[in-house]
Amino acid sequence: MVKFLDNKLFRYLSVFLFLNSSILPVKSSSALAAWVLNTNGVLELRTKSNTNLKAYFQKANQIFGDRFWIDFPGELKNPRTIMGNGPIKEIRLGKPNKGKTRLVIEFNEETYLKPLTWRMVGLDQNRWRIKLFDPKYTFKKISEGQVVKRIGNIKENQKLIHKKKSDYNYLKLPDVKQNKFSVVLDPGHGGPDPGAIGIGGIRETDVVLEVSKIVKNLLSEKGVKVNLTRKNEIDLDLPPRVSIANNTDADIFVSIHANASRGKRRDINGLETFYYRGWRGRLLAKKIQKQILKVSPGSPDRGVKQGRFYVIKNTRMPAVLVEIGFLTGRLDARRLEKTTHRKRLAYAIAKGILEYLEKIG
Ligand SMILES: [Zn+2]
């Protein structure tokens, strides 16, 4: 793959090597949790605590431009390539071999870098920083996930929840019997698996988590017990999502996703809701689909369909999977970017759920 010793063709430089006693088992998930390459050329990473990082630089050759890469323990779920801009040609996330994750930053050919001055700095147990290039290059930030968790976060969130309540005072959601129903909401993807990546780098995991949390608040205010399968950016497989619903004897299960079209076609937009079996599942899907369409004018109705997705196939209660729009679609992505639209969608999903519970319960 890389010739280590041929100095004439390749200058290969180990930027830094962090020694650490903790070695993750081969099958564990990627230690890379989030990263951002900022406009000032600084790459920041968030990893699992006490992670072994290995960083490398390779000078350009006939095939590649200058490349910088970091290897992380743990296997990446979805290898992907993210288009660069400015001095960055592209950023790739791959698995060079089993049980590993590799983040590769490939520079354009004409870029002038000074790798000898590079230093990877550990900021705390799970954050890292390295300056890769100078601000003389214009560069638009690229990132996946939230690298910095602000200390003020909890307070801000509380304020937000408080604000949400007053925002929705004028909207009437159907009343259901208090403390009677239990709902499991499943925000799709999470952690190292961001799900669909859309226009401008908008990520499914972020969108669906925010929407799900608002749905939870709205339903809780109506006296419905709500369990979220995940509350933050964690890596969660499909079976535990199902067990949460099956073990808590939930009345319904709603998995929330956003779509991406093949070839990232910007002209493909629309909403759809899937169920696997039963008239109850179908009814729930219809109620939700009807409401989410109302708050998404102009976006096509792709309908209520039967789908064989793991989470709706293996849950024992009426279960649906909602696709709230295409992150790759021009119309949908522009809306899904905005919290106002996410709130509207959450309201619509909550309304569909409450209408269903009102009818069935
Ligand atoms: Zn998804």
Side-chain angles (χ1 to χ4, degrees):
M1 188 173 51
V2 178
K3 285 184 191 171
F4 292 96
L5 300 170
D6 193 342
N7 275 328
K8 277 175 193 164
L9 281 173
F10 300 96
R11 266 205 303 147
Y12 180 84
L13 170 70
S14 175
V15 174
F16 239 74
L17 168 63
F18 290 90
L19 288 174
N20 201 299
S21 54
S22 76
I23 292 161
L24 291 161
V26 171
K27 279 198 86 178
S28 83
S29 64
S30 176
L32 174 62
W35 58 270
V36 56
L37 185 52
N38 290 302
T39 47
N40 60 1
V42 173
L43 173 72
E44 287 181 90
L45 308 166
R46 183 161 60 85
T47 62
K48 288 181 180 168
S49 294
N50 301 318
T51 295
N52 259 334
L53 295 192
K54 288 178 183 174
Y56 306 94
F57 175 74
Q58 186 187 9
K59 204 69 198 128
N61 58 37
Q62 287 95 329
I63 307 156
F64 299 107
D66 285 350
R67 285 198 293 171
F68 169 73
W69 73 93
I70 306 172
D71 284 348
F72 305 83
E75 191 161 299
L76 183 77
K77 254 195 211 156
N78 300 327
R80 52 195 180 266
T81 300
I82 297 149
M83 219 181 29
N85 68 79
I88 307 299
K89 188 179 171 213
E90 62 184 34
I91 296 175
R92 291 189 299 273
L93 287 109
K95 33 185 170 188
N97 40 49
K98 227 177 153 44
K100 283 267 180 296
T101 295
R102 178 170 289 174
L103 171 72
V104 184
I105 297 178
E106 189 164 334
F107 293 86
N108 285 321
E109 279 141 41
E110 66 277 14
T111 312
Y112 181 66
L113 301 165
K114 296 175 193 158
L116 287 169
T117 65
W118 288 355
R119 277 186 66 88
M120 175 90 87
V121 182
L123 300 175
D124 56 39
Q125 278 211 328
N126 46 13
R127 283 200 304 138
W128 310 89
R129 175 179 291 167
I130 183 170
K131 188 169 174 77
L132 296 177
F133 57 87
D134 282 325
K136 66 174 175 183
Y137 298 107
T138 21
F139 171 71
K140 230 180 102 195
K141 161 181 138 169
I142 306 176
S143 67
E144 288 187 308
Q146 208 184 341
V147 176
V148 185
K149 295 201 162 157
R150 282 190 195 87
I151 300 158
N153 235 358
I154 298 160
K155 271 195 175 167
E156 275 171 30
N157 283 344
Q158 280 171 345
K159 256 191 226 157
L160 218 75
I161 290 161
H162 189 72
K163 216 175 136 218
K164 265 174 219 155
K165 276 191 185 174
S166 52
D167 274 353
Y168 286 110
N169 276 347
Y170 67 96
L171 294 166
K172 281 214 178 91
L173 288 171
D175 287 319
V176 292
K177 269 196 189 133
Q178 298 256 326
N179 309 319
K180 186 177 177 208
F181 300 107
S182 142
V183 172
V184 170
L185 296 175
D186 174 42
H189 312 278
D193 164 23
I197 309 269
I199 297 170
I202 185 172
R203 308 189 324 153
E204 180 179 357
T205 178
D206 301 325
V207 177
V208 300
L209 184 60
E210 190 181 2
V211 169
S212 304
K213 283 180 174 175
I214 306 172
V215 177
K216 179 187 157 110
N217 289 336
L218 292 169
L219 293 178
S220 302
E221 284 171 26
K222 290 286 171 183
V224 175
K225 188 171 175 261
V226 182
N227 277 310
L228 286 172
T229 55
R230 67 176 178 97
K231 297 185 181 77
N232 42 42
E233 282 308 324
I234 54 156
D235 191 13
L236 186 63
D237 280 339
L238 301 177
R241 296 176 197 255
V242 167
S243 339
I244 289 169
N246 287 348
N247 295 342
T248 58
D249 247 336
D251 293 294
I252 58 168
F253 176 91
V254 178
S255 189
I256 301 175
H257 287 251
N259 247 325
S261 59
R262 245 179 226 181
K264 303 206 165 186
R265 283 180 53 180
R266 295 192 174 209
D267 57 330
I268 296 179
N269 297 280
L271 298 94
E272 56 196 350
T273 305
F274 295 91
Y275 70 103
Y276 174 65
R277 71 168 90 76
W279 66 269
R280 286 188 179 88
R282 183 152 185 275
L283 179 67
L284 176 60
K286 277 171 83 174
K287 295 273 186 204
I288 292 175
Q289 177 72 6
K290 188 179 158 196
Q291 294 301 327
I292 55 176
L293 281 171
K294 274 192 193 167
V295 297
S296 313
S299 193
D301 178 5
R302 296 169 63 94
V304 165
K305 302 166 184 171
Q306 259 187 305
R308 303 177 56 82
F309 301 105
Y310 185 93
V311 289
I312 55 171
K313 195 176 158 190
N314 292 287
T315 32
R316 285 199 293 261
M317 64 293 305
V320 299
L321 187 147
V322 192
E323 294 278 5
I324 57 175
F326 279 81
L327 294 170
T328 46
R330 204 177 282 113
L331 175 69
D332 290 349
R334 206 164 47 208
R335 284 178 175 160
L336 288 164
E337 251 172 26
K338 297 184 184 118
T339 296
T340 46
H341 183 64
R342 295 180 190 177
K343 282 182 184 176
R344 281 187 207 114
L345 281 168
Y347 169 81
I349 294 169
K351 191 165 186 181
I353 289 173
L354 290 166
E355 281 182 354
Y356 169 87
L357 293 176
E358 194 185 25
K359 185 148 190 175
I360 295 302

mmCIF file with all atom_site columns, all heavy atoms in Angstrom, residues 309-326:
data_model
loop_
_atom_site.group_PDB
_atom_site.id
_atom_site.type_symbol
_atom_site.label_atom_id
_atom_site.label_alt_id
_atom_site.label_comp_id
_atom_site.label_asym_id
_atom_site.label_entity_id
_atom_site.label_seq_id
_atom_site.pdbx_PDB_ins_code
_atom_site.Cartn_x
_atom_site.Cartn_y
_atom_site.Cartn_z
_atom_site.occupancy
_atom_site.B_iso_or_equiv
_atom_site.pdbx_formal_charge
_atom_site.auth_seq_id
_atom_site.auth_comp_id
_atom_site.auth_asym_id
_atom_site.auth_atom_id
_atom_site.pdbx_PDB_model_num
ATOM 1   N N   . PHE A 1 309 ? -37.579 -3.108  6.834  1.00 0.00 ? 309 PHE A N   1
ATOM 2   C CA  . PHE A 1 309 ? -36.472 -2.631  7.657  1.00 0.00 ? 309 PHE A CA  1
ATOM 3   C C   . PHE A 1 309 ? -36.433 -3.372  8.993  1.00 0.00 ? 309 PHE A C   1
ATOM 4   O O   . PHE A 1 309 ? -37.471 -3.663  9.579  1.00 0.00 ? 309 PHE A O   1
ATOM 5   C CB  . PHE A 1 309 ? -36.601 -1.125  7.908  1.00 0.00 ? 309 PHE A CB  1
ATOM 6   C CG  . PHE A 1 309 ? -36.621 -0.335  6.635  1.00 0.00 ? 309 PHE A CG  1
ATOM 7   C CD1 . PHE A 1 309 ? -37.803 0.199   6.157  1.00 0.00 ? 309 PHE A CD1 1
ATOM 8   C CD2 . PHE A 1 309 ? -35.457 -0.164  5.901  1.00 0.00 ? 309 PHE A CD2 1
ATOM 9   C CE1 . PHE A 1 309 ? -37.828 0.908   4.968  1.00 0.00 ? 309 PHE A CE1 1
ATOM 10  C CE2 . PHE A 1 309 ? -35.473 0.548   4.716  1.00 0.00 ? 309 PHE A CE2 1
ATOM 11  C CZ  . PHE A 1 309 ? -36.668 1.086   4.245  1.00 0.00 ? 309 PHE A CZ  1
ATOM 12  N N   . TYR A 1 310 ? -35.213 -3.662  9.424  1.00 0.00 ? 310 TYR A N   1
ATOM 13  C CA  . TYR A 1 310 ? -35.004 -4.483  10.625 1.00 0.00 ? 310 TYR A CA  1
ATOM 14  C C   . TYR A 1 310 ? -35.819 -3.993  11.819 1.00 0.00 ? 310 TYR A C   1
ATOM 15  O O   . TYR A 1 310 ? -36.488 -4.770  12.497 1.00 0.00 ? 310 TYR A O   1
ATOM 16  C CB  . TYR A 1 310 ? -33.509 -4.487  10.982 1.00 0.00 ? 310 TYR A CB  1
ATOM 17  C CG  . TYR A 1 310 ? -33.179 -5.392  12.134 1.00 0.00 ? 310 TYR A CG  1
ATOM 18  C CD1 . TYR A 1 310 ? -32.787 -6.710  11.907 1.00 0.00 ? 310 TYR A CD1 1
ATOM 19  C CD2 . TYR A 1 310 ? -33.275 -4.951  13.451 1.00 0.00 ? 310 TYR A CD2 1
ATOM 20  C CE1 . TYR A 1 310 ? -32.495 -7.553  12.965 1.00 0.00 ? 310 TYR A CE1 1
ATOM 21  C CE2 . TYR A 1 310 ? -32.996 -5.779  14.516 1.00 0.00 ? 310 TYR A CE2 1
ATOM 22  C CZ  . TYR A 1 310 ? -32.598 -7.082  14.262 1.00 0.00 ? 310 TYR A CZ  1
ATOM 23  O OH  . TYR A 1 310 ? -32.324 -7.919  15.316 1.00 0.00 ? 310 TYR A OH  1
ATOM 24  N N   . VAL A 1 311 ? -35.752 -2.697  12.086 1.00 0.00 ? 311 VAL A N   1
ATOM 25  C CA  . VAL A 1 311 ? -36.370 -2.189  13.316 1.00 0.00 ? 311 VAL A CA  1
ATOM 26  C C   . VAL A 1 311 ? -37.893 -2.273  13.307 1.00 0.00 ? 311 VAL A C   1
ATOM 27  O O   . VAL A 1 311 ? -38.513 -2.420  14.366 1.00 0.00 ? 311 VAL A O   1
ATOM 28  C CB  . VAL A 1 311 ? -35.938 -0.734  13.651 1.00 0.00 ? 311 VAL A CB  1
ATOM 29  C CG1 . VAL A 1 311 ? -34.488 -0.689  14.101 1.00 0.00 ? 311 VAL A CG1 1
ATOM 30  C CG2 . VAL A 1 311 ? -36.181 0.214   12.496 1.00 0.00 ? 311 VAL A CG2 1
ATOM 31  N N   . ILE A 1 312 ? -38.503 -2.200  12.117 1.00 0.00 ? 312 ILE A N   1
ATOM 32  C CA  . ILE A 1 312 ? -39.973 -2.312  12.115 1.00 0.00 ? 312 ILE A CA  1
ATOM 33  C C   . ILE A 1 312 ? -40.424 -3.758  11.907 1.00 0.00 ? 312 ILE A C   1
ATOM 34  O O   . ILE A 1 312 ? -41.556 -4.109  12.193 1.00 0.00 ? 312 ILE A O   1
ATOM 35  C CB  . ILE A 1 312 ? -40.648 -1.362  11.092 1.00 0.00 ? 312 ILE A CB  1
ATOM 36  C CG1 . ILE A 1 312 ? -40.106 -1.563  9.677  1.00 0.00 ? 312 ILE A CG1 1
ATOM 37  C CG2 . ILE A 1 312 ? -40.484 0.085   11.516 1.00 0.00 ? 312 ILE A CG2 1
ATOM 38  C CD1 . ILE A 1 312 ? -40.901 -0.794  8.623  1.00 0.00 ? 312 ILE A CD1 1
ATOM 39  N N   . LYS A 1 313 ? -39.504 -4.576  11.426 1.00 0.00 ? 313 LYS A N   1
ATOM 40  C CA  . LYS A 1 313 ? -39.839 -5.974  11.196 1.00 0.00 ? 313 LYS A CA  1
ATOM 41  C C   . LYS A 1 313 ? -39.771 -6.771  12.502 1.00 0.00 ? 313 LYS A C   1
ATOM 42  O O   . LYS A 1 313 ? -40.525 -7.715  12.711 1.00 0.00 ? 313 LYS A O   1
ATOM 43  C CB  . LYS A 1 313 ? -38.830 -6.556  10.190 1.00 0.00 ? 313 LYS A CB  1
ATOM 44  C CG  . LYS A 1 313 ? -39.230 -7.866  9.590  1.00 0.00 ? 313 LYS A CG  1
ATOM 45  C CD  . LYS A 1 313 ? -38.221 -8.296  8.544  1.00 0.00 ? 313 LYS A CD  1
ATOM 46  C CE  . LYS A 1 313 ? -38.309 -9.794  8.347  1.00 0.00 ? 313 LYS A CE  1
ATOM 47  N NZ  . LYS A 1 313 ? -37.208 -10.307 7.532  1.00 0.00 ? 313 LYS A NZ  1
ATOM 48  N N   . ASN A 1 314 ? -38.851 -6.368  13.375 1.00 0.00 ? 314 ASN A N   1
ATOM 49  C CA  . ASN A 1 314 ? -38.598 -7.179  14.577 1.00 0.00 ? 314 ASN A CA  1
ATOM 50  C C   . ASN A 1 314 ? -39.220 -6.629  15.855 1.00 0.00 ? 314 ASN A C   1
ATOM 51  O O   . ASN A 1 314 ? -39.121 -7.262  16.907 1.00 0.00 ? 314 ASN A O   1
ATOM 52  C CB  . ASN A 1 314 ? -37.087 -7.364  14.758 1.00 0.00 ? 314 ASN A CB  1
ATOM 53  C CG  . ASN A 1 314 ? -36.517 -8.238  13.650 1.00 0.00 ? 314 ASN A CG  1
ATOM 54  O OD1 . ASN A 1 314 ? -36.730 -9.450  13.644 1.00 0.00 ? 314 ASN A OD1 1
ATOM 55  N ND2 . ASN A 1 314 ? -35.850 -7.620  12.694 1.00 0.00 ? 314 ASN A ND2 1
ATOM 56  N N   . THR A 1 315 ? -39.831 -5.481  15.772 1.00 0.00 ? 315 THR A N   1
ATOM 57  C CA  . THR A 1 315 ? -40.532 -4.965  16.944 1.00 0.00 ? 315 THR A CA  1
ATOM 58  C C   . THR A 1 315 ? -41.910 -5.619  16.992 1.00 0.00 ? 315 THR A C   1
ATOM 59  O O   . THR A 1 315 ? -42.509 -5.877  15.959 1.00 0.00 ? 315 THR A O   1
ATOM 60  C CB  . THR A 1 315 ? -40.672 -3.429  16.851 1.00 0.00 ? 315 THR A CB  1
ATOM 61  O OG1 . THR A 1 315 ? -40.782 -3.055  15.483 1.00 0.00 ? 315 THR A OG1 1
ATOM 62  C CG2 . THR A 1 315 ? -39.469 -2.732  17.444 1.00 0.00 ? 315 THR A CG2 1
ATOM 63  N N   . ARG A 1 316 ? -42.383 -5.865  18.223 1.00 0.00 ? 316 ARG A N   1
ATOM 64  C CA  . ARG A 1 316 ? -43.626 -6.632  18.362 1.00 0.00 ? 316 ARG A CA  1
ATOM 65  C C   . ARG A 1 316 ? -44.882 -5.768  18.289 1.00 0.00 ? 316 ARG A C   1
ATOM 66  O O   . ARG A 1 316 ? -45.980 -6.265  18.087 1.00 0.00 ? 316 ARG A O   1
ATOM 67  C CB  . ARG A 1 316 ? -43.613 -7.401  19.687 1.00 0.00 ? 316 ARG A CB  1
ATOM 68  C CG  . ARG A 1 316 ? -42.697 -8.613  19.656 1.00 0.00 ? 316 ARG A CG  1
ATOM 69  C CD  . ARG A 1 316 ? -43.055 -9.576  20.773 1.00 0.00 ? 316 ARG A CD  1
ATOM 70  N NE  . ARG A 1 316 ? -42.772 -9.013  22.081 1.00 0.00 ? 316 ARG A NE  1
ATOM 71  C CZ  . ARG A 1 316 ? -41.664 -9.301  22.788 1.00 0.00 ? 316 ARG A CZ  1
ATOM 72  N NH1 . ARG A 1 316 ? -40.779 -10.128 22.294 1.00 0.00 ? 316 ARG A NH1 1
ATOM 73  N NH2 . ARG A 1 316 ? -41.485 -8.772  23.964 1.00 0.00 ? 316 ARG A NH2 1
ATOM 74  N N   . MET A 1 317 ? -44.728 -4.456  18.484 1.00 0.00 ? 317 MET A N   1
ATOM 75  C CA  . MET A 1 317 ? -45.896 -3.558  18.495 1.00 0.00 ? 317 MET A CA  1
ATOM 76  C C   . MET A 1 317 ? -46.006 -2.886  17.127 1.00 0.00 ? 317 MET A C   1
ATOM 77  O O   . MET A 1 317 ? -45.091 -2.999  16.314 1.00 0.00 ? 317 MET A O   1
ATOM 78  C CB  . MET A 1 317 ? -45.747 -2.517  19.604 1.00 0.00 ? 317 MET A CB  1
ATOM 79  C CG  . MET A 1 317 ? -44.590 -1.556  19.467 1.00 0.00 ? 317 MET A CG  1
ATOM 80  S SD  . MET A 1 317 ? -42.934 -2.291  19.618 1.00 0.00 ? 317 MET A SD  1
ATOM 81  C CE  . MET A 1 317 ? -43.048 -3.119  21.196 1.00 0.00 ? 317 MET A CE  1
ATOM 82  N N   . PRO A 1 318 ? -47.129 -2.196  16.854 1.00 0.00 ? 318 PRO A N   1
ATOM 83  C CA  . PRO A 1 318 ? -47.205 -1.439  15.607 1.00 0.00 ? 318 PRO A CA  1
ATOM 84  C C   . PRO A 1 318 ? -45.978 -0.532  15.476 1.00 0.00 ? 318 PRO A C   1
ATOM 85  O O   . PRO A 1 318 ? -45.647 0.192   16.416 1.00 0.00 ? 318 PRO A O   1
ATOM 86  C CB  . PRO A 1 318 ? -48.486 -0.620  15.761 1.00 0.00 ? 318 PRO A CB  1
ATOM 87  C CG  . PRO A 1 318 ? -49.326 -1.422  16.702 1.00 0.00 ? 318 PRO A CG  1
ATOM 88  C CD  . PRO A 1 318 ? -48.363 -2.082  17.653 1.00 0.00 ? 318 PRO A CD  1
ATOM 89  N N   . ALA A 1 319 ? -45.304 -0.623  14.337 1.00 0.00 ? 319 ALA A N   1
ATOM 90  C CA  . ALA A 1 319 ? -44.035 0.082   14.189 1.00 0.00 ? 319 ALA A CA  1
ATOM 91  C C   . ALA A 1 319 ? -43.936 0.721   12.812 1.00 0.00 ? 319 ALA A C   1
ATOM 92  O O   . ALA A 1 319 ? -44.343 0.132   11.817 1.00 0.00 ? 319 ALA A O   1
ATOM 93  C CB  . ALA A 1 319 ? -42.878 -0.899  14.388 1.00 0.00 ? 319 ALA A CB  1
ATOM 94  N N   . VAL A 1 320 ? -43.405 1.928   12.791 1.00 0.00 ? 320 VAL A N   1
ATOM 95  C CA  . VAL A 1 320 ? -43.228 2.608   11.510 1.00 0.00 ? 320 VAL A CA  1
ATOM 96  C C   . VAL A 1 320 ? -41.842 3.237   11.424 1.00 0.00 ? 320 VAL A C   1
ATOM 97  O O   . VAL A 1 320 ? -41.187 3.478   12.443 1.00 0.00 ? 320 VAL A O   1
ATOM 98  C CB  . VAL A 1 320 ? -44.293 3.718   11.277 1.00 0.00 ? 320 VAL A CB  1
ATOM 99  C CG1 . VAL A 1 320 ? -45.689 3.139   11.265 1.00 0.00 ? 320 VAL A CG1 1
ATOM 100 C CG2 . VAL A 1 320 ? -44.180 4.829   12.305 1.00 0.00 ? 320 VAL A CG2 1
ATOM 101 N N   . LEU A 1 321 ? -41.410 3.458   10.197 1.00 0.00 ? 321 LEU A N   1
ATOM 102 C CA  . LEU A 1 321 ? -40.157 4.165   9.936  1.00 0.00 ? 321 LEU A CA  1
ATOM 103 C C   . LEU A 1 321 ? -40.491 5.355   9.040  1.00 0.00 ? 321 LEU A C   1
ATOM 104 O O   . LEU A 1 321 ? -41.021 5.181   7.956  1.00 0.00 ? 321 LEU A O   1
ATOM 105 C CB  . LEU A 1 321 ? -39.143 3.229   9.280  1.00 0.00 ? 321 LEU A CB  1
ATOM 106 C CG  . LEU A 1 321 ? -37.720 3.759   9.094  1.00 0.00 ? 321 LEU A CG  1
ATOM 107 C CD1 . LEU A 1 321 ? -36.698 2.624   9.215  1.00 0.00 ? 321 LEU A CD1 1
ATOM 108 C CD2 . LEU A 1 321 ? -37.534 4.474   7.766  1.00 0.00 ? 321 LEU A CD2 1
ATOM 109 N N   . VAL A 1 322 ? -40.218 6.544   9.559  1.00 0.00 ? 322 VAL A N   1
ATOM 110 C CA  . VAL A 1 322 ? -40.580 7.775   8.856  1.00 0.00 ? 322 VAL A CA  1
ATOM 111 C C   . VAL A 1 322 ? -39.342 8.368   8.190  1.00 0.00 ? 322 VAL A C   1
ATOM 112 O O   . VAL A 1 322 ? -38.295 8.496   8.822  1.00 0.00 ? 322 VAL A O   1
ATOM 113 C CB  . VAL A 1 322 ? -41.127 8.830   9.846  1.00 0.00 ? 322 VAL A CB  1
ATOM 114 C CG1 . VAL A 1 322 ? -41.765 9.983   9.098  1.00 0.00 ? 322 VAL A CG1 1
ATOM 115 C CG2 . VAL A 1 322 ? -42.120 8.212   10.801 1.00 0.00 ? 322 VAL A CG2 1
ATOM 116 N N   . GLU A 1 323 ? -39.480 8.725   6.926  1.00 0.00 ? 323 GLU A N   1
ATOM 117 C CA  . GLU A 1 323 ? -38.407 9.438   6.222  1.00 0.00 ? 323 GLU A CA  1
ATOM 118 C C   . GLU A 1 323 ? -38.896 10.869  6.024  1.00 0.00 ? 323 GLU A C   1
ATOM 119 O O   . GLU A 1 323 ? -39.800 11.122  5.239  1.00 0.00 ? 323 GLU A O   1
ATOM 120 C CB  . GLU A 1 323 ? -38.107 8.785   4.866  1.00 0.00 ? 323 GLU A CB  1
ATOM 121 C CG  . GLU A 1 323 ? -37.520 7.384   4.952  1.00 0.00 ? 323 GLU A CG  1
ATOM 122 C CD  . GLU A 1 323 ? -36.002 7.365   5.207  1.00 0.00 ? 323 GLU A CD  1
ATOM 123 O OE1 . GLU A 1 323 ? -35.413 8.449   5.406  1.00 0.00 ? 323 GLU A OE1 1
ATOM 124 O OE2 . GLU A 1 323 ? -35.437 6.253   5.213  1.00 0.00 ? 323 GLU A OE2 1
ATOM 125 N N   . ILE A 1 324 ? -38.279 11.799  6.748  1.00 0.00 ? 324 ILE A N   1
ATOM 126 C CA  . ILE A 1 324 ? -38.832 13.158  6.819  1.00 0.00 ? 324 ILE A CA  1
ATOM 127 C C   . ILE A 1 324 ? -38.354 14.086  5.700  1.00 0.00 ? 324 ILE A C   1
ATOM 128 O O   . ILE A 1 324 ? -38.589 15.290  5.757  1.00 0.00 ? 324 ILE A O   1
ATOM 129 C CB  . ILE A 1 324 ? -38.544 13.798  8.189  1.00 0.00 ? 324 ILE A CB  1
ATOM 130 C CG1 . ILE A 1 324 ? -37.039 13.813  8.467  1.00 0.00 ? 324 ILE A CG1 1
ATOM 131 C CG2 . ILE A 1 324 ? -39.308 13.079  9.297  1.00 0.00 ? 324 ILE A CG2 1
ATOM 132 C CD1 . ILE A 1 324 ? -36.679 14.535  9.757  1.00 0.00 ? 324 ILE A CD1 1
ATOM 133 N N   . GLY A 1 325 ? -37.722 13.524  4.682  1.00 0.00 ? 325 GLY A N   1
ATOM 134 C CA  . GLY A 1 325 ? -37.278 14.345  3.560  1.00 0.00 ? 325 GLY A CA  1
ATOM 135 C C   . GLY A 1 325 ? -35.909 13.917  3.082  1.00 0.00 ? 325 GLY A C   1
ATOM 136 O O   . GLY A 1 325 ? -35.241 13.119  3.745  1.00 0.00 ? 325 GLY A O   1
ATOM 137 N N   . PHE A 1 326 ? -35.495 14.439  1.932  1.00 0.00 ? 326 PHE A N   1
ATOM 138 C CA  . PHE A 1 326 ? -34.205 14.081  1.342  1.00 0.00 ? 326 PHE A CA  1
ATOM 139 C C   . PHE A 1 326 ? -33.162 15.142  1.662  1.00 0.00 ? 326 PHE A C   1
ATOM 140 O O   . PHE A 1 326 ? -33.267 16.280  1.224  1.00 0.00 ? 326 PHE A O   1
ATOM 141 C CB  . PHE A 1 326 ? -34.342 13.928  -0.176 1.00 0.00 ? 326 PHE A CB  1
ATOM 142 C CG  . PHE A 1 326 ? -34.894 12.603  -0.586 1.00 0.00 ? 326 PHE A CG  1
ATOM 143 C CD1 . PHE A 1 326 ? -36.255 12.377  -0.552 1.00 0.00 ? 326 PHE A CD1 1
ATOM 144 C CD2 . PHE A 1 326 ? -34.049 11.579  -0.992 1.00 0.00 ? 326 PHE A CD2 1
ATOM 145 C CE1 . PHE A 1 326 ? -36.775 11.142  -0.923 1.00 0.00 ? 326 PHE A CE1 1
ATOM 146 C CE2 . PHE A 1 326 ? -34.554 10.343  -1.365 1.00 0.00 ? 326 PHE A CE2 1
ATOM 147 C CZ  . PHE A 1 326 ? -35.934 10.123  -1.334 1.00 0.00 ? 326 PHE A CZ  1
#
